[in-house]
Amino acid sequence: MIKRYSFIFGIAFFLNLMWENVHAFLYLHYQGGPITEQILLRATLFDAVFIILLLILIDRMKVERSTGVYIQIGVSFLVAVLIEVFALGASRWAYGPWMPIIPILEVGLSPIIQLPLLGYLSGRITTHLLRK
């Protein structure tokens, strides 16, 4: 089990690091200053830790795998929305003109799909790699 969680964390960290670097141009600033590699690394670490803790929690609840996937995606989506609403309201960051906005939620599309998608992919990639 430790091996699986280690793989998930490593894959989640790698995928989130790529995502953070690719979509950073969609933001204007972080707390009024430039978006540095240190900020992107911290965001990556937060995302990877969230993903692994959520998946461990779902595993511990002994939820059926297909149901667990829906829980993981739903909780990740909700957490991503809450993070964005809080961060935008507190002026932690601001979106640039290129960020696609989800109309009803008034939050960016890219950060909202990041946690659910990369969490799901991290689990799937790990399962595939450990089968071989």
Side-chain angles (χ1 to χ4, degrees):
M1 199 58 100
I2 299 286
K3 181 179 180 180
R4 180 173 182 266
Y5 292 142
S6 297
F7 265 76
I8 291 171
F9 179 82
I11 292 166
F13 186 88
F14 176 75
L15 292 174
N16 277 281
L17 183 61
M18 289 189 325
W19 189 288
E20 292 291 349
N21 279 278
V22 167
H23 91 151
F25 81 95
L26 298 172
Y27 293 85
L28 289 177
H29 65 78
Y30 176 78
Q31 295 184 347
I35 298 173
T36 64
E37 194 60 35
Q38 180 182 8
I39 290 165
L40 296 177
L41 280 170
R42 192 170 59 214
T44 297
L45 183 60
F46 173 85
D47 294 341
V49 167
F50 169 78
I51 288 168
I52 193 64
L53 290 177
L54 179 60
L55 292 175
I56 289 171
L57 179 63
I58 291 169
D59 282 351
R60 298 269 185 225
M61 292 172 31
K62 305 221 183 292
V63 174
E64 184 180 315
R65 188 164 302 276
S66 61
T67 303
V69 168
Y70 292 119
I71 292 170
Q72 181 262 322
I73 290 171
V75 170
S76 296
F77 177 84
L78 180 63
V79 167
V81 170
L82 293 174
I83 289 169
E84 289 301 304
V85 167
F86 169 78
L88 292 168
S91 297
R92 289 184 64 90
W93 55 73
Y95 298 144
W98 308 278
M99 175 67 80
I101 303 295
I102 301 171
I104 295 170
L105 301 174
E106 294 301 318
V107 294
L109 178 63
S110 178
I112 298 305
I113 62 174
Q114 180 181 357
L115 277 178
L117 177 63
L118 298 186
Y120 173 76
L121 287 176
S122 297
R124 294 292 294 172
I125 291 169
T126 297
T127 299
H128 178 73
L129 289 175
L130 291 180
R131 280 190 187 148
K132 292 188 172 198

